[in-house]
Amino acid sequence: MKQGNAKEEGSILGIEGGGTKTSWILLRPRGQKLAGGVVGGSNVMLVGRDGLRKVLREVARKLPQVPSAIGAAFAGARGKKEMEMARGVLRQVWPRATKVVVGQDTDSALGAAWGVEDGFLVIAGTGSNVVGRVKGRKYGAGGHGHILGDAGSGYDLAQRAIRAVLRERDREGKAPALAATLMAHSGAGDLDHLVREVYRGHGKEWLAGFAPGILRAAERRDPLACRVVRASALELAEMAGELAKRVGVRRPRWALTGGLFQNGFYRQSFVRALRGIISGTEISVLKIPGEVGAARMVAGSSLRVGEEFDTERPLVSVG
Amino acid sequence: MKQGNAKEEGSILGIEGGGTKTSWILLRPRGQKLAGGVVGGSNVMLVGRDGLRKVLREVARKLPQVPSAIGAAFAGARGKKEMEMARGVLRQVWPRATKVVVGQDTDSALGAAWGVEDGFLVIAGTGSNVVGRVKGRKYGAGGHGHILGDAGSGYDLAQRAIRAVLRERDREGKAPALAATLMAHSGAGDLDHLVREVYRGHGKEWLAGFAPGILRAAERRDPLACRVVRASALELAEMAGELAKRVGVRRPRWALTGGLFQNGFYRQSFVRALRGIISGTEISVLKIPGEVGAARMVAGSSLRVGEEFDTERPLVSVG
């Protein structure tokens, strides 16, 4: 009888697995938080079946009760194969769960933003991506990685800034002020040293690490930084606007997420560009974490979440 | 006495060392060809001291006589350290040479184009570069490699074309005709497969290998290919024009070299863009090989070369 009640009262486990960390939250059916935490990375392409099992068992050990429904989204879950693998491991770790929904990391982000309802989401961090759900179907634009675009991402910002600085040196014979910002971050003594560092193969995260300095320079109104940030944000806004137009949504609503949107100059540049491309839209910055979004993948928007997760009020028009 | 005469009549050895091959030519003082050939690569950064000695000894074994002057240009000879190393090895292999001039690969290209006189050179192959000599001093723009620009290069063309195709698919919901050209080259069955291939780390030469197909598509007037080629060539032309303006040359003369300029659509796009940026210029496609340019580094333009090396007549204005 106690067992029966526990099932009836069943709690919902939300899991968002990224490359460096896996966030999880256990919620009551109405959304009250029972427990939550962070364990190691679980990009399913990187960790594989055994690695995923290890991470999920660690989560299981920390749970105060067995969940009856699980929503789990993983980075790297691009194809059916990875989805099936993740579902299999989840079933293995929690054989008593009655409902298991598996998705990509963009699914948990969409869930965090709009539950199971329609809406669009723009992600701008190390990479960038635009996704949207329209009449229950998911659409996307961009997100092709750093070599093929990722417009408006931290990587894109860094690449544009270094190019712009080199170009200005070519043109003017001396480097602009922004060069000092870039060199300070990389520890390079001069621009040629910086160029050599870029080719030493530090990887895309290293290059994306230039973005915070560039964004701060833009807030200080460094002209080159402003130009670079505006151009980068504009390209992402164009991608977003084009996607909404293609799928025939006249008044889409947008949630923005990822580290770059925390910067006022970037956010304003993006919002201004987007409003110039597609009018009458509601734009808000997403504050609900991905693990709650993952829980919403299985429980829907009926899952009310506490005040601490409320989305920010829609940004007032800055167009 | 015969020894003395041999020295007086001294022949000139020109060597251009690239990543995959080293071309050499032995010339009489007036420029008549005595011998020539190709051996393995000698990018000095890649092969090191011992590798360079091995390559140069192979050239020495093939020479019908000992050169009295040597002009040698090597890819990877970016700093003083590499230059000194190359000079040391040349002196070791040919201790009886009375004059040895060492340079970068852009020096032999400039030498091929303009001897020791002033002039500009635009290189567009896997990478791109603009160099110029003004009042004996060398200036450059671009050439910062594939991550930081290389506008107008084969790599740049390929990257732009794939981005444009993905963007059009995002916008229209279906891929444009150019996608088929790209997939045919990569052996990919669909665009997502192509994207995965790009990230499999085939390297920049692999990506630049898409360029010939894109250029052929532009000659067939594929609209997306035309747009991509024009935009890429324009950016290179802008870099070239800006360099000439910065160093204060009002009527620069230009030599064009590298595989991309062999394509009519590309060449025309570039020339048109350059004429729009800086007027009254003479533009010709370089036909003199780099090893002759290397010989000119030591012998100057007084080194007459045979008909087979004559530069093409300056292109007629296409502006």
Side-chain angles (χ1 to χ4, degrees):
Chain A
M1 200 59 204
K2 203 186 163 196
Q3 173 72 12
N5 264 342
K7 264 195 178 165
E8 236 169 48
E9 294 258 7
S11 55
I12 303 150
L13 175 62
I15 300 171
E16 189 181 59
T20 55
K21 63 173 185 171
T22 301
S23 307
W24 61 271
I25 192 163
L26 189 70
L27 299 165
R28 285 192 203 279
R30 291 295 187 81
Q32 194 195 338
K33 181 176 169 179
L34 288 165
V38 173
V39 295
S42 58
N43 177 314
V44 290
M45 289 241 248
L46 300 181
V47 298
R49 186 183 300 269
D50 293 344
L52 182 62
R53 194 184 297 120
K54 208 177 143 192
V55 167
L56 295 183
R57 285 204 168 132
E58 197 183 339
V59 173
R61 278 195 299 276
K62 297 186 173 181
L63 294 184
Q65 65 179 84
V66 175
S68 63
I70 303 169
F74 299 99
R78 289 219 154 191
K80 261 191 181 164
K81 215 180 79 186
E82 291 85 13
M83 295 279 198
E84 287 309 313
M85 186 270 271
R87 189 187 311 276
V89 176
L90 285 160
R91 289 267 181 217
Q92 228 182 338
V93 176
W94 289 286
R96 283 161 59 197
T98 52
K99 203 174 169 192
V100 174
V101 173
V102 181
Q104 304 179 7
D105 46 358
T106 50
D107 294 315
S108 50
L110 266 179
W114 309 115
V116 292
E117 294 168 23
D118 285 0
F120 287 81
L121 179 74
V122 183
I123 304 165
T126 298
S128 73
N129 217 338
V130 182
V131 287
R133 196 184 289 117
V134 182
K135 292 176 190 157
R137 205 181 139 188
K138 199 176 149 194
Y139 297 90
H144 304 301
H146 63 292
I147 302 177
L148 298 177
D150 263 3
S153 68
Y155 184 93
D156 183 48
L157 271 183
Q159 202 178 27
R160 284 176 192 259
I162 302 174
R163 287 180 182 201
V165 162
L166 291 170
R167 182 89 184 256
E168 192 150 319
R169 187 184 63 170
D170 281 349
R171 185 162 38 207
E172 307 291 339
K174 64 181 207 312
L178 187 59
T181 302
L182 302 180
M183 290 190 295
H185 174 76
S186 65
D190 58 47
L191 272 183
D192 296 313
H193 183 182
L194 172 60
V195 171
R196 281 198 300 276
E197 285 299 310
V198 170
Y199 287 98
R200 268 187 58 200
H202 292 286
K204 65 174 181 166
E205 279 77 13
W206 178 82
L207 207 66
F210 283 86
I214 298 161
L215 291 170
R216 281 193 299 272
E219 287 200 316
R220 287 194 313 268
R221 294 299 183 271
D222 173 279
L224 200 56
C226 289
R227 216 157 66 216
V228 160
V229 174
R230 281 200 198 100
S232 183
L234 171 64
E235 205 176 316
L236 182 58
E238 281 174 351
M239 272 173 39
E242 285 165 4
L243 178 65
K245 285 177 186 171
R246 164 161 82 89
V247 297
V249 180
R250 277 177 49 204
R251 293 174 57 85
R253 53 179 188 172
W254 303 94
L256 315 179
T257 188
L260 269 61
F261 285 116
Q262 303 307 311
N263 177 272
F265 188 90
Y266 181 93
R267 190 175 59 239
Q268 201 175 6
S269 301
F270 177 85
V271 168
R272 203 170 281 183
L274 186 61
R275 286 195 195 282
I277 292 160
I278 189 159
S279 63
T281 56
E282 174 195 306
I283 308 174
S284 54
V285 174
L286 181 63
K287 287 288 173 65
I288 297 181
E291 61 271 26
V292 174
R296 278 184 163 180
M297 284 165 40
V298 64
S301 304
S302 62
L303 187 71
R304 290 174 51 103
V305 288
E307 265 298 307
E308 71 269 32
F309 299 134
D310 254 14
T311 43
E312 207 176 55
R313 291 293 91 204
L315 296 172
V316 288
S317 169
V318 289
Chain B
M1 198 58 200
K2 201 187 164 195
Q3 175 72 11
N5 263 346
K7 265 195 179 167
E8 239 169 46
E9 296 259 7
S11 54
I12 303 150
L13 175 62
I15 300 171
E16 188 180 59
T20 54
K21 63 174 185 170
T22 301
S23 307
W24 62 271
I25 192 164
L26 190 71
L27 300 163
R28 284 195 204 278
R30 291 294 189 79
Q32 194 195 337
K33 180 175 170 179
L34 287 166
V38 174
V39 294
S42 58
N43 177 314
V44 290
M45 289 241 248
L46 299 183
V47 298
R49 185 184 300 270
D50 293 344
L52 183 61
R53 192 183 299 118
K54 206 177 144 193
V55 167
L56 295 184
R57 284 204 168 132
E58 196 183 339
V59 173
R61 276 195 300 276
K62 296 187 174 180
L63 294 183
Q65 67 179 85
V66 176
S68 64
I70 303 169
F74 298 99
R78 290 221 151 188
K80 260 190 181 166
K81 214 181 78 183
E82 290 86 13
M83 295 280 199
E84 286 309 312
M85 185 271 271
R87 190 187 311 276
V89 175
L90 285 160
R91 288 268 182 219
Q92 229 181 337
V93 176
W94 290 286
R96 284 161 58 197
T98 52
K99 203 176 169 192
V100 174
V101 173
V102 181
Q104 303 178 8
D105 46 358
T106 51
D107 295 315
S108 50
L110 266 178
W114 310 115
V116 292
E117 293 169 24
D118 285 0
F120 287 80
L121 179 75
V122 183
I123 304 165
T126 297
S128 73
N129 217 340
V130 183
V131 288
R133 196 184 288 115
V134 182
K135 293 174 189 158
R137 205 182 140 188
K138 196 177 150 194
Y139 296 90
H144 304 301
H146 64 292
I147 301 177
L148 298 176
D150 264 3
S153 68
Y155 183 92
D156 184 49
L157 271 184
Q159 204 179 25
R160 283 175 193 261
I162 301 175
R163 287 181 184 203
V165 162
L166 290 171
R167 183 87 183 259
E168 191 149 318
R169 187 184 62 168
D170 281 349
R171 186 163 33 210
E172 307 291 338
K174 65 181 207 310
L178 188 59
T181 302
L182 303 179
M183 291 192 292
H185 174 75
S186 65
D190 58 47
L191 271 183
D192 296 311
H193 183 183
L194 172 60
V195 170
R196 282 199 298 277
E197 285 298 310
V198 169
Y199 288 98
R200 269 186 58 199
H202 292 287
K204 64 174 181 169
E205 279 78 14
W206 178 81
L207 208 64
F210 284 86
I214 298 163
L215 290 170
R216 280 193 300 273
E219 288 199 316
R220 286 194 312 268
R221 294 299 184 269
D222 174 278
L224 201 55
C226 289
R227 216 158 68 215
V228 160
V229 173
R230 281 199 197 102
S232 184
L234 171 63
E235 205 175 314
L236 182 57
E238 281 174 351
M239 273 172 40
E242 284 165 5
L243 177 66
K245 285 177 184 172
R246 164 162 83 87
V247 297
V249 179
R250 276 177 48 204
R251 291 174 58 86
R253 54 180 187 171
W254 302 94
L256 316 180
T257 188
L260 268 61
F261 285 117
Q262 304 307 312
N263 176 273
F265 189 91
Y266 182 92
R267 189 173 61 238
Q268 200 177 6
S269 301
F270 177 85
V271 168
R272 202 170 281 184
L274 186 62
R275 288 195 194 281
I277 292 160
I278 192 160
S279 63
T281 57
E282 174 194 306
I283 308 173
S284 55
V285 174
L286 180 64
K287 287 286 172 70
I288 297 181
E291 61 270 27
V292 174
R296 279 184 162 181
M297 282 165 40
V298 66
S301 302
S302 64
L303 186 73
R304 290 174 49 105
V305 287
E307 266 297 310
E308 71 269 33
F309 298 135
D310 254 12
T311 43
E312 206 176 57
R313 292 293 91 203
L315 296 172
V316 290
S317 169
V318 288

